[in-house]
Amino acid sequence: MPDSRAHPPLHPLEFRILMVLTAEPSYGTAIVREIERAEGGRMTIYPANLFRRIRDLSARGLLEECPSPEGADPRRTYLGLTPAGRRVARDEARRLRDLVREADARDLLGEAEG
Amino acid sequence: MRRRPEHRRARALYRRLIRFLPHDLGRRFGPDLEDLFAVRLGAARGPLGRGWVWARAILDLGVHGVLAPEWRPTYIDREDGMGGWLQDLRQGAKSLGRRPLASAGIVGTLALGVGAATATWSAVDGVLLTPLPYPEPDRLVAVWPTMNFNGAMVRDALAASPALESITGYSGWGFTLTGQGEPLEVRGARVSVDHFRVLGARPVLGRDFDAGEGVPGAGDVVVLSHGFWVRAFGADPAVVGRRIALSTNDADTRTVVGVMGPEFHPLAHDPDVWVPLTLPPGTDMADDDTWYVNDRVARLAPGATVAEAAEQIRGWARDVREHMPRLVTDEDVREADVRPLHLDATASVGPVLWASLGAVSLVLLMACANVANLLLARGEGRGHDLALRAALGARRPRIVRLLLVESTLLGAAGGALGIALSFGLVRGLVALAPPDFPRLDQIGVDGSVLLFALGATLLATLVAGVVPALRTSRVDATASLGRAARGTGRRGGSRLTPILVTAEVALAVVVVVGSGLMLKSLHRMTSEELGIAPDGLVVLRPSPPTGRYPDGPAFRSYYAQVLERVEALPEVERAAAIHLLPGTSDNWSFPTRPEGFESTDGTTPSVNIRLVTPGYLETVQVPLLQGRTLQPTDDEGGETVVVVNQAFVDRYWPAESDPLGLTLRITSTTARVVGVVGDVRQHGFGSEPRPEMYFAHGQLTWDATFWIVARVRPGIDPAAPARALRDAVWAVDPDVPVGGLEPLTSVYADSAATTRFLATVLGGFGLLALLLGAVGVFGVTAFAVGRRTGEFGVRVALGARRREVLGTAVGRSLVPVAVGLGVGLLAAAVTSRVLASVLYDVAPSDPATFGAVVLTLGAVALGAALLPAWRAAAVDPATVLRRE
């Protein structure tokens, strides 16, 4: 189990990046498009900010560079999750789920809708 | 995807920007960044949309790419390295952006303080601290500045003082230029032939005066100022060597020998031309009647000191008194001195400027206290946020650092805005300054001024930021989180705020007392009886050139014709002429022997004299006290008569109840007193009336040009008949220049300009201090009662009446105000003495002013405290109790 001291709550953008890469390795522009699609315009993505986060995640051992697939643009860097990255993403998802459950228990969700 | 060519250019430009990114970031994600940029640019509509995409892209690259820490995770608590600082910077900016109103308040307060202080400093720096614009300015001195010299005395003073290397006498003089289109009035100066050499200046064209030109007959030469050369001669270099029609009492034409450069700063009067002072060789001091050399500037010999020169000049003055007792009085000798020219030139405004700088420093301190208060209040409001950080492991130095970064950001914004503000304020200050304010051209925002602004900002930020940062950072995570949930704050921070309020109110008292004293001075000065009625009077000065009006009769007939034309105008009720304009410092005084009067020290008193046309005293409405005024029959044919003022009678004939018929001697003329009139403040507001004699210009036929003084009919604006007045003068002779046309009221207004200037500047600071003080008291009370809303609610619920609750709320805020008023009064009693030399008819400890200031500040503070307290007392107890 990763302990919470090594991995404090992830930044929303970091969590988004990890989620996009859960399915398969991808590259920068595709990641941005995917996040923008998923957020439906609620989140403004500043590209350099995104790539800085990606770099940070790499430095923490959560992402790694992957070989480019056949026929892809050779200039592009493809990224995928490391086993540690997959674990942290899962822990964060669980933490958020627990958080939402607690909010629900406190009637927060009902209040928000009413 | 098809791209338009401009997108290709935009991409290339963006690619270049990517190169500024850290290498690994650019290499790995450069193509992605570029693609995303191109997509957004393609989706943008119109130039505005594309500009927005560009702005965001640059911000993105700058903030996230360049400023971002290298390969470090973005944990909240990172203690070391540049990365942490930069992160703090970003976090600070974000946090400030979340409270735009409070941030704007802090930035605005700082900007006002820094702006006002910077503008004032620019004046102090430019006028008092910048060296005079001459080579080796420290060697230039003013010689016996209180005394009027004649030409021979200038020469003898130099001979008597080996500490002086060279000397120049100096006197403002009016000229008329004809033959160059419209006749022109020309400002000039008579100077010693060494004038330019003393100042270390050389003409850019031709030469300056040589020693031979200081003798009557050889002195018909002139040096032109650069501005006048351009204006009147179209910058024609061939003018050097030419003879021009520049006339005054001793010559009608003069040869141009040189032109000064544009960078040459004249000593005073801003002359267009310089002509040599002349003196027949071997003239004795006692025989020289050129008593108009008002100022002397000398250059110290190498190695000589001001003290040595002063000692030698004092010795010479005693000598003159002993051998020629009629020339100088004992009092003159006591005032004999040599002073650094720089100090002498700015003596009139030194105290004014230092007082302003003192006042503005206090205002800056008040701004700091206000900002500190606002930061404290903000800090209290952020207890929860900071507790969260502490709970996540942030240590105290880290939190202090974050808070300091925030206050530094505020300081930088306030400082930048303040500097921008100071440019405008400096312009306003220069526009507001009286025209005779020395060295006005030196006031501006330059490197040293910017350095001052930077220092002031830094100081303000540190003073205002450190204490709140240390205070706010002392968080107890558990307690604070619990309280934050209930919406109540800590009580600990409240120990500091009363001290800040006390300090602020005390500073405000000091500044407002100063401005109050100045405003009262201005009021006293300008509401004083002048002795004449300037309302409805308009003045103008025709300058008939001596070439066309060579003798007294020609002169007098010219003025008689002008007066006749002016009086014929339908707007004019009556008109007369006088040779010195009232309300200015212009003065003529002559050794006069009143019948039967003996001075205690044996000297002949020098008495002010005014040459007038018959009807002048009636036109300006000087009250006649005894006898009669001057009449048209008082001309060359009749007995010489004189009208004196009451001050003359009081001084020289105090025992005489009826001075009519007594005589006085002036030069070789004996005149009989035919009338006594009231005293007039001839030198403007604030000047004391002196003994004075009025002679008819038909009897004392001296060389003088005259001012026409016309009284317009009731209900007519004195500025209205300007055109008609000029035409009336030109109807007599179209080649005579007309100058100085203005209502006499504005001449008098100018005489109070320095006091008005200081009153306006200090009044502005006083208003600012009042405003800052009110904001401070308001903020602190609002915050204090806001924190105690719960307590008030409980008390109201328990049956306390709202008025009692209100009383408690206001009472607590007013204790520090009262202490501040007391401390401020004591401080003001000391500091207002600085103003003593510029106050008029008001004591520095004027009780009325002090009382009014206490009442005003007290009322403002009460209002500022009542407003938020009222809101707090109106709280609904049910709401509060539910929250508790």
Side-chain angles (χ1 to χ4, degrees):
Chain A
M1 281 292 283
D3 70 61
S4 60
R5 290 172 71 84
H7 289 290
L10 288 174
H11 188 277
L13 190 56
E14 291 175 338
F15 187 51
R16 270 287 176 200
I17 295 167
L18 295 184
M19 283 216 292
V20 169
L21 296 177
T22 323
E24 55 177 358
S26 183
Y27 63 96
T29 315
I31 297 173
V32 172
R33 295 234 180 100
E34 179 62 21
I35 294 176
E36 281 182 338
R37 190 191 56 73
E39 287 281 344
R42 275 170 301 175
M43 192 187 241
T44 314
I45 309 283
Y46 286 89
N49 184 28
L50 178 94
F51 295 132
R52 183 173 60 86
R53 299 277 178 187
I54 288 178
R55 198 180 54 176
D56 285 355
L57 291 169
S58 304
R60 283 147 70 187
L62 306 183
L63 298 183
E64 62 185 355
E65 290 191 17
C66 302
S68 306
E70 280 295 309
D73 186 341
R75 293 179 307 154
R76 306 216 183 273
T77 306
Y78 273 73
L79 296 154
L81 291 184
T82 62
R86 203 166 286 279
R87 203 170 58 233
V88 167
R90 196 186 58 219
D91 288 348
E92 176 70 3
R94 286 181 178 157
R95 191 185 69 83
L96 289 175
R97 184 191 58 201
D98 293 347
L99 208 62
V100 172
R101 277 188 186 152
E102 196 189 330
D104 197 25
R106 289 172 188 247
D107 236 11
L108 199 61
L109 297 180
E111 199 176 278
E113 278 155 22
Chain B
M1 191 188 295
R2 250 175 32 149
R3 292 188 191 94
R4 285 183 293 167
E6 64 262 39
H7 283 184
R8 205 158 49 218
R9 274 216 310 277
R11 278 177 76 117
L13 191 62
Y14 186 74
R15 208 176 303 138
R16 225 170 269 177
L17 288 178
I18 291 177
R19 285 194 208 142
F20 287 103
L21 293 180
H23 180 64
D24 61 290
L25 203 68
R27 182 180 54 80
R28 289 171 70 192
F29 302 113
D32 287 315
L33 279 168
E34 197 185 316
D35 276 356
L36 283 166
F37 173 73
V39 168
R40 290 194 173 159
L41 202 61
R45 267 187 228 153
L48 215 63
R50 282 197 291 281
W52 179 233
V53 169
W54 264 113
R56 279 183 35 176
I58 290 169
L59 185 78
D60 178 36
L61 288 179
V63 173
H64 300 296
V66 181
L67 288 179
E70 290 295 303
W71 285 115
R72 290 229 189 85
T74 47
Y75 296 147
I76 289 173
D77 187 26
R78 208 171 30 228
E79 309 255 338
D80 47 6
M82 266 319 273
W85 280 107
L86 291 169
Q87 197 195 352
D88 280 355
L89 208 63
R90 274 180 294 149
Q91 251 165 18
K94 261 193 214 162
S95 144
L96 296 178
R98 275 199 292 273
R99 300 172 186 79
L101 210 65
S103 303
I106 292 175
V107 168
T109 304
L110 275 177
L112 281 177
V114 170
T118 304
T120 311
W121 173 255
S122 76
V124 169
D125 181 53
V127 176
L128 300 181
L129 303 180
T130 306
L132 293 169
Y134 308 110
E136 298 183 71
D138 294 345
R139 285 174 58 200
L140 291 176
V141 292
V143 178
W144 203 347
T146 51
M147 181 71 189
N148 215 17
F149 276 32
N150 61 24
M153 284 178 81
V154 178
R155 178 199 62 202
D156 289 7
L158 180 66
S161 174
L164 302 181
E165 181 186 86
S166 54
I167 193 168
T168 172
Y170 192 86
S171 174
W173 212 268
F175 297 84
T176 309
L177 180 74
T178 49
Q180 299 282 326
E182 272 195 18
L184 270 183
E185 259 195 325
V186 178
R187 272 193 315 272
R190 286 182 178 275
V191 298
S192 303
V193 288
D194 274 341
H195 185 74
F196 299 104
R197 283 183 289 279
V198 171
L199 296 179
R202 308 171 71 89
V204 285
L205 273 181
R207 60 172 178 85
D208 56 15
F209 306 125
D210 63 39
E213 284 159 352
V215 180
D220 56 345
V221 288
V222 59
V223 169
L224 309 180
S225 79
H226 192 269
F228 185 63
W229 175 57
V230 172
R231 219 163 51 239
F233 299 98
D236 177 11
V239 77
V240 174
R242 231 168 74 194
R243 230 168 150 75
I244 60 173
L246 188 71
S247 72
T248 182
N249 54 346
D250 61 342
D252 295 328
T253 60
R254 290 174 184 272
T255 306
V256 178
V257 294
V259 177
M260 295 308 289
E263 75 295 335
F264 175 68
H265 285 259
L267 274 180
H269 307 303
D270 199 14
D272 296 323
V273 298
W274 292 268
V275 305
L277 278 167
T278 55
L279 183 71
T283 309
D284 197 67
M285 263 194 268
D287 303 331
D288 182 10
D289 59 0
T290 61
W291 281 102
Y292 46 71
V293 190
N294 312 108
D295 300 291
R296 280 79 42 199
V297 171
R299 188 168 277 276
L300 290 175
T305 65
V306 176
E308 284 166 25
E311 200 36 62
Q312 289 161 1
I313 290 296
R314 276 193 285 268
W316 171 67
R318 284 191 293 270
D319 216 40
V320 174
R321 172 79 183 123
E322 197 181 321
H323 294 105
M324 282 164 271
R326 287 197 186 285
L327 291 189
V328 295
T329 65
D330 284 331
E331 196 189 341
D332 292 333
V333 173
R334 271 194 298 281
E335 289 174 345
D337 198 6
V338 171
R339 292 180 210 152
L341 180 59
H342 185 236
L343 284 185
D344 187 62
T346 57
S348 62
V349 295
V352 172
L353 286 174
W354 288 118
S356 303
L357 191 66
V360 86
S361 305
L362 299 185
V363 169
L364 187 62
L365 273 181
M366 285 186 67
C368 289
N370 250 347
V371 169
N373 250 335
L374 286 169
L375 284 175
L376 267 179
R378 263 172 59 94
E380 298 263 326
R382 290 176 67 186
H384 184 64
D385 172 31
L386 296 175
L388 195 64
R389 281 167 192 274
L392 287 170
R395 285 195 258 135
R396 191 169 169 219
R398 180 57 205 277
I399 292 180
V400 171
R401 198 172 83 176
L402 180 66
L403 293 170
L404 274 185
V405 164
E406 281 187 29
S407 56
T408 308
L409 275 176
L410 290 170
L417 202 63
I419 288 171
L421 190 67
S422 70
F423 278 93
L425 286 176
V426 163
R427 215 165 293 164
L429 212 64
V430 171
L432 205 69
D436 59 348
F437 202 91
R439 313 193 71 196
L440 210 53
D441 55 328
Q442 298 286 324
I443 301 177
V445 178
D446 61 10
S448 101
V449 171
L450 287 180
L451 208 64
F452 173 89
L454 220 62
T457 308
L458 201 67
L459 190 79
T461 312
L462 284 180
V463 169
V466 169
V467 175
L470 291 177
R471 265 224 100 82
T472 308
S473 64
R474 217 182 289 155
V475 284
D476 170 359
T478 357
S480 187
L481 284 175
R483 256 201 316 275
R486 289 201 313 274
T488 54
R490 292 171 298 147
R491 296 289 282 272
S494 57
R495 272 200 305 276
L496 193 62
T497 43
I499 298 175
L500 285 173
V501 170
T502 303
E504 218 172 308
V505 171
L507 291 172
V509 170
V510 171
V511 177
V512 178
V513 161
S515 53
L517 290 172
M518 272 327 292
L519 288 171
K520 189 163 180 180
S521 287
L522 180 66
H523 177 73
R524 279 269 164 97
M525 191 182 269
T526 52
S527 54
E528 205 120 56
E529 279 294 320
L530 290 172
I532 63 173
D535 295 310
L537 289 177
V538 56
V539 299
L540 68 157
R541 185 186 52 206
S543 305
T546 42
R548 303 153 65 90
Y549 300 92
D551 53 12
F555 236 57
R556 282 196 294 282
S557 116
Y558 170 78
Y559 283 113
Q561 288 177 62
V562 168
L563 282 176
E564 196 177 313
R565 297 256 179 189
V566 168
E567 281 201 306
L569 292 175
E571 299 95 333
V572 174
E573 197 172 88
R574 66 182 307 167
I578 181 166
H579 87 294
L580 296 173
L581 184 63
T584 67
S585 59
D586 292 352
N587 199 44
W588 277 24
S589 66
F590 276 85
T592 304
R593 264 164 272 174
E595 181 183 343
F597 174 79
E598 283 299 332
S599 71
T600 47
D601 61 1
T603 53
T604 307
S606 201
V607 181
N608 290 354
I609 181 170
R610 306 227 154 206
L611 307 181
V612 298
T613 59
Y616 170 81
L617 295 166
E618 290 85 347
T619 303
V620 299
Q621 296 175 359
V622 178
L624 178 67
L625 304 177
Q626 275 180 291
R628 65 169 176 91
T629 58
L630 298 168
Q631 299 302 318
T633 48
D634 297 322
D635 58 14
E636 276 174 301
E639 175 198 23
T640 305
V641 297
V642 61
V643 170
V644 297
N645 66 354
Q646 187 61 46
F648 186 102
V649 177
D650 293 344
R651 171 82 67 86
Y652 302 115
W653 295 316
E656 290 289 341
S657 60
D658 181 15
L660 299 182
L662 291 173
T663 61
L664 54 84
R665 275 186 71 80
I666 173 165
T667 59
S668 54
T669 311
T670 301
R672 189 171 59 85
V673 175
V674 293
V676 177
V677 292
D679 297 337
V680 176
R681 291 181 198 275
Q682 301 282 18
H683 300 304
F685 287 118
S687 64
E688 284 307 312
R690 291 180 237 171
E692 204 155 43
M693 309 174 286
Y694 296 90
F695 281 92
H697 89 310
Q699 292 196 322
L700 220 53
T701 56
W702 293 346
D703 282 341
T705 52
F706 280 75
W707 287 84
I708 305 297
V709 181
R711 180 169 293 285
V712 297
R713 290 188 189 283
I716 293 181
D717 176 7
R723 185 74 241 174
L725 284 167
R726 275 201 192 91
D727 287 344
V729 174
W730 283 333
V732 177
D733 182 342
D735 278 343
V736 171
V738 176
L741 201 154
E742 61 181 327
L744 190 60
T745 46
S746 63
V747 176
Y748 268 93
D750 280 350
S751 72
T754 301
T755 305
R756 185 173 294 112
F757 174 68
L758 187 58
T760 313
V761 170
L762 284 188
F765 292 158
L767 217 58
L768 201 58
L770 213 56
L771 183 78
L772 288 177
V775 168
V777 172
F778 177 89
V780 168
T781 314
F783 186 70
V785 298
R787 236 172 14 186
R788 296 169 62 203
T789 316
E791 179 196 328
F792 292 153
V794 173
R795 287 176 56 190
V796 172
L798 291 176
R801 268 186 292 170
R802 283 189 203 284
R803 197 190 297 168
E804 292 166 22
V805 173
L806 191 71
T808 325
V810 173
R812 272 208 205 163
S813 304
L814 288 188
V815 171
V817 170
V819 177
L821 285 176
V823 174
L825 282 180
L826 289 179
V830 177
T831 54
S832 60
R833 279 187 216 155
V834 178
L835 289 174
S837 71
V838 285
L839 291 179
Y840 181 78
D841 200 20
V842 177
S845 56
D846 182 53
T849 306
F850 277 64
V853 168
V854 167
L855 283 182
T856 310
L857 266 170
V860 167
L862 186 67
L866 262 179
L867 215 65
W870 192 272
R871 279 207 326 236
V875 70
D876 172 20
T879 319
V880 173
L881 291 178
R882 209 179 304 128
R883 233 192 312 163
E884 288 285 309

